Amino acid sequence: MTLRTTFLVQPFELHRKRLRPARQEPAQSEFGALKKAEALAARMPGAAALKIVADDETGELEGVTIIGQFGEVPDDFAETLLGN
């Protein structure tokens, strides 16, 4: 089992006065994810930078961590990441 860490940015857009996820964007590093999320939040309602650890062979998630949030992010965003 080989664990792999990846970084993503989840931007949010307004649709019918509600926040919804827009297209995720990959990042090369934690710092890159934070900077990209901050830049996207300047143009969109908000964005979150995520650190994802998964098994490289099976794709099974080991953990997802929000490393930064900028602007407006849905109140239940963290809960939806955990699958609750």
Side-chain angles (χ1 to χ4, degrees):
M1 178 167 96
T2 305
L3 294 180
R4 182 176 181 188
T5 301
T6 56
F7 299 95
L8 285 176
V9 175
Q10 177 62 71
F12 295 94
E13 61 189 6
L14 280 175
H15 180 72
R16 297 184 181 177
K17 298 183 182 180
R18 295 187 64 178
L19 289 173
R20 73 173 185 184
R23 188 170 47 112
Q24 293 178 341
E25 297 196 21
Q28 296 295 318
S29 66
E30 183 173 337
F31 179 76
L34 289 167
K35 293 309 258 182
K36 187 178 279 195
E38 186 175 19
L40 282 171
R43 298 187 322 240
M44 302 179 88
L50 307 173
K51 176 182 175 181
I52 301 167
V53 179
D55 186 315
D56 200 26
E57 296 171 9
T58 66
E60 184 177 332
L61 284 178
E62 293 291 320
V64 179
T65 305
I66 299 171
I67 55 176
Q69 293 184 162
F70 302 90
E72 295 181 54
V73 175
D75 293 334
D76 64 347
F77 180 61
E79 295 167 8
T80 59
L81 288 177
L82 300 173
N84 292 338

